[in-house]
Amino acid sequence: MFKNYLKIAWRNLMKYKFISFINLFGLTVGLTCCLLITTYVLNELSYDRYNKNAENIYRVTRTFKNGEGAVSLILSTVSPPFGYYFPTDFPEIQKMTRLLNSGTTLLKYKEKLINEPNVYFADENLFNVFTLKVVKGNPQTALKDPFSIMMSEDVAKKYFGNEDPMNKVIRANNRFDVKVTGIYKGFPENSFMHPGVLISFNTLKDSAVFGAENLRTNWGNNSFFTFLVLPDHYDPQKLISKFPAFLDKHMTKEYGGKQASKFTSLGLQKLTDIHLHSHTDYEAEPNGDITRVYIFGTIALFILLIACINYMNLSTARSALRAKEIGIRKVIGARKKELIFQFLSESVLIAWTAILIAFGLLYFTLPWLNEISGQELSVNILEKWQVLVPLFLTPFIVGILSGLYPALFMSSFQPVKTLKGLFKAGGGTISFRKVLVVAQFTISIVLIITTIIVFQQLHYMQETSLGYNKEHIITMHYYNSINPQYDAFRNDLLQHTGIKDVARSSRIPTGRLLDENGASAMVGDSMRPVTADIKDVATDYDFVPTYGIHVVAGRNFSRDYSMDTSNFILNESAVKAIGWKSPQDAVNRDFAYAGRKGHVVGVIEDFHFESLRQKIVPIVLINPPVHANSSAFHNLSVKLTGNNIPATLAIVEKVWRQYLPDIPYQSTFLDENFNKLYESEQRQGTIFTVFACIAIFIACLGLFGLSAFEISQRIKEIGVRKVLGAKVSSIVTLLSKDFLKLVLTATIIAFPIAWYAMSHWLYDFAYRIHIHWWVFLLASILALMVALVTVSFQAIKAAVANPVESLRTE
């Protein structure tokens, strides 16, 4: 019997090729999109789950509060003494490992000199916490001795080629030598961090590097990742509840005898939550976002739903063509459940065919998704029984969901009416089909509106005034070794007409403002502590003019004033936070910051140092004195005139090599850093657009097939109207208006849904656009135009047909 069902199903598919093709094509496209998005979602959800102890590993985080008790900073790192005291104060901790991100580090082997990114200091417990495969060396001892180093396979090949890297000596930062004691396979792609080089944590105990005493007592350097392994089924809240007493016990002196727990707190973050749920002020690498996973998962379901609706619409629409077949089956004894099974088998057959084709298309479209998403997705992530079983069941679920209503509807036909030719699709059927069309276009219009608003916000972020000029600025890492020669270095650069300014700073715009120290200001007749957080940036005399920042009161730092190394420049937000009346009122006021006392010599206009996701915060610019070993500056900014940029860049590189021959030249345009701030939104907008277009295309495909069928049922009516003198335009209007009414209804339903969704999305941006009414009008016009073109094609074709042909059979 089952073989008979399949045979009849195949014959019906071949008999109605046009509708079958639309059903198959729509489901195939929908399932392909679902598979693509499923691959992306599963990859996002898989981060760090490769670790054997993943469920028991937690990262320690630290939160800072200002004088008013408000959270001012949340870090994914803590200071080194925490790791020193944790094992003794908390016996429930089974294992612990610490890492320090050294960032880009200069490594030299023979003649190879490379600025190596992703260099970390790591202790010998790393391989007891994280699951990594060591290719060479002993994972238990490779990082035990000071000045030992481990490398990933790719990094080792870069330095040593086919040589055996073991026991080779590398020079680090021109300061100390390290010996290769192990090689490991790189951290998997689905890891929240990707260290390429691991230097023994015990190296930090050397006084020339960090110092053992600093590791025990330096509570101010919050740069250390600290991971704990807790017992199975242990409630992390138990440990968190003990942290306040721990802080008060060890950090009372750091807060002048006050309770430390009032000003700072510790938290625990599950390793598997870091990638999608962690958005601290300092992360090892840019993370994903669980909201984005929800959004794309919803889009996948929407697209599949639209494809299923197409099937339901077209199947019920063609029911009139199969009415006599159903009547004959019932007369010869076919029961209702057998008819239902017959129709469902057709749906499942189409769904199976669609998913098999979709898997083939997945291999061709996945590289495209990798390109626009910036990820390295692979179909291998689908090769797990937890994934394969649901995928195997998908054709049955999709086939049953899309075919159930048509099956129930067609199996309910009365054989007497169908065999007499009296069957006619009832009003209930028509109404249900209308509901399905409205649902399709509601989803499509929501996607159109959201896509427009996403791109509006992206354009706003890229085009809004930042308060500084980011054009034609290149940035480089600043090395302290050039301090004694800096003036000569700067003068040599400025001799060339293509270079306008050169400046040093601790941070550069597009970065994060993390540094904050206590401030006091002259308010009234006395110095008072400032309760608000004021972030600091160390700058030299040339930072403000290099970035074109507007001074609204007072002046910039000047080499003509020797005391300016003790003075300050504030932004307008800092002036307001202190409580001074105006920028002019702040000039020459006494101000103290981080133990330094001086005067406010100038006030600069507020500018967007960070991303537009963050609000502009109070900032103080400090101009510290520079000596040979000064480490206040970490960035060098060079402002170009914009004339003959390639030649100017060559000049910058030449001067660099003249003064820093042992350090590779590496520069980045500031606007590239700016674009990276919104790279995830740009990619999200692109993917949104593509899948929105696909959803609309599938909806129109269904509308095309449905309108073609509906019009074919009215061919004789059209013929009669033409004979009676009806014009082509009036016939097209008659045939199109019912469908356009449905699309118009869909727009009304879609508006509040889209408004709510995008209001919630925009809330994540401190500076955002307003949602304008014309966006909804534009989306509705686009949807109506697409629907009109789709339906009009069939309507015009029917309206211009020869009425003689349509009436000949009467």
Side-chain angles (χ1 to χ4, degrees), residues 410-702:
M410 288 188 282
S411 64
S412 66
F413 290 170
Q414 296 179 18
V416 175
K417 290 185 178 181
T418 56
L419 293 175
K420 286 184 177 182
L422 301 176
F423 170 77
K424 187 176 182 181
T429 304
I430 296 173
S431 297
F432 186 72
R433 288 210 300 273
K434 288 179 179 179
V435 169
L436 295 179
V437 171
V438 169
Q440 277 186 315
F441 273 90
T442 298
I443 294 170
S444 300
I445 293 163
V446 167
L447 291 176
I448 292 173
I449 294 171
T450 54
T451 301
I452 294 172
I453 293 175
V454 166
F455 275 102
Q456 276 188 309
Q457 177 65 18
L458 289 174
H459 183 265
Y460 171 78
M461 291 189 295
Q462 291 175 328
E463 299 299 326
T464 192
S465 175
L466 300 173
Y468 68 91
N469 188 353
K470 70 178 187 296
E471 303 300 326
H472 304 134
I473 293 180
I474 58 171
T475 63
M476 293 156 277
H477 183 74
Y478 182 79
Y479 293 88
N480 300 325
S481 58
I482 202 176
N483 281 342
Q485 299 176 290
Y486 176 73
D487 287 339
F489 170 78
R490 177 175 175 274
N491 289 333
D492 281 356
L493 286 173
L494 293 175
Q495 284 180 4
H496 299 278
T497 56
I499 298 173
K500 188 176 181 180
D501 276 307
V502 182
R504 297 171 294 179
S505 60
S506 58
R507 298 183 183 276
I508 56 173
T510 69
R512 291 304 309 274
L513 291 165
L514 303 179
D515 305 314
E516 189 272 330
N517 290 279
S520 298
M522 180 64 71
V523 180
D525 298 326
S526 61
M527 292 289 289
R528 298 179 186 177
V530 178
T531 57
D533 290 326
I534 299 182
K535 307 293 185 180
D536 65 86
V537 181
T539 67
D540 65 7
Y541 302 98
D542 308 297
F543 179 82
V544 170
T546 297
Y547 281 90
I549 300 168
H550 180 53
V551 178
V552 295
R555 59 176 176 82
N556 181 33
F557 293 129
S558 172
R559 292 178 174 85
D560 297 331
Y561 297 88
S562 59
M563 292 301 294
D564 268 3
T565 53
S566 299
N567 290 328
F568 308 93
I569 294 176
L570 303 177
N571 70 344
E572 292 173 305
S573 291
V575 172
K576 292 177 184 176
I578 293 168
W580 287 327
K581 295 179 181 179
S582 66
Q584 291 74 19
D585 184 44
V587 176
N588 294 323
R589 289 265 193 166
D590 290 342
F591 186 78
Y593 191 86
R596 298 172 56 193
K597 296 181 180 179
H599 301 281
V600 176
V601 297
V603 177
I604 55 175
E605 188 177 48
D606 278 345
F607 66 99
H608 293 279
F609 196 102
E610 301 174 293
S611 160
L612 269 73
R613 297 186 196 92
Q614 285 82 36
K615 290 184 177 180
I616 294 176
V617 297
I619 300 174
V620 56
L621 302 187
I622 302 169
N623 181 27
V626 180
H627 50 77
N629 297 320
S630 174
S631 58
F633 301 131
H634 308 296
N635 297 278
L636 182 71
S637 303
V638 179
K639 176 73 172 180
L640 311 181
T641 61
N643 299 322
N644 198 357
I645 289 178
T648 307
L649 292 177
I651 290 167
V652 175
E653 182 174 2
K654 180 181 177 182
V655 176
W656 178 279
R657 295 188 184 282
Q658 178 184 341
Y659 284 87
L660 297 165
D662 295 330
I663 300 176
Y665 171 78
Q666 190 174 11
S667 65
T668 306
F669 275 95
L670 185 70
D671 54 5
E672 292 178 14
N673 295 341
F674 179 80
N675 290 335
K676 286 180 181 178
L677 289 177
Y678 311 112
E679 187 174 24
S680 61
E681 281 81 10
Q682 290 280 10
R683 295 183 186 280
Q684 180 179 328
T686 302
I687 297 173
F688 243 92
T689 304
V690 171
F691 286 120
C693 291
I694 291 172
I696 295 166
F697 171 74
I698 297 174
C700 289
L701 193 68

Side-chain angles (χ1 to χ4, degrees), residues 296-346:
F296 287 121
T298 303
I299 289 176
L301 291 176
F302 278 173
I303 290 175
L304 187 59
L305 180 61
I306 289 173
C308 290
I309 288 173
N310 276 355
Y311 186 92
M312 296 170 71
N313 260 339
L314 293 176
S315 295
T316 52
R318 71 173 181 175
S319 59
L321 301 176
R322 301 186 64 179
K324 290 185 179 180
E325 172 199 341
I326 296 166
I328 293 172
R329 283 178 174 275
K330 283 199 168 187
V331 167
I332 61 177
R335 290 174 293 181
K336 185 173 182 178
K337 65 178 183 180
E338 292 172 342
L339 291 172
I340 291 173
F341 197 88
Q342 168 67 53
F343 298 130
L344 288 179
S345 65
E346 293 181 19

Side-chain angles (χ1 to χ4, degrees), residues 59 61 74-76 192 269-283 285-290:
R59 182 174 70 178
T61 62
I74 303 176
L75 295 179
S76 60
F192 82 98
Q269 198 169 54
K270 197 172 183 179
L271 176 66
T272 52
D273 289 342
I274 291 176
H275 178 66
L276 291 177
H277 299 276
S278 177
H279 301 287
T280 67
D281 294 300
Y282 178 75
E283 294 286 350
E285 296 176 11
N287 283 336
D289 191 339
I290 190 64

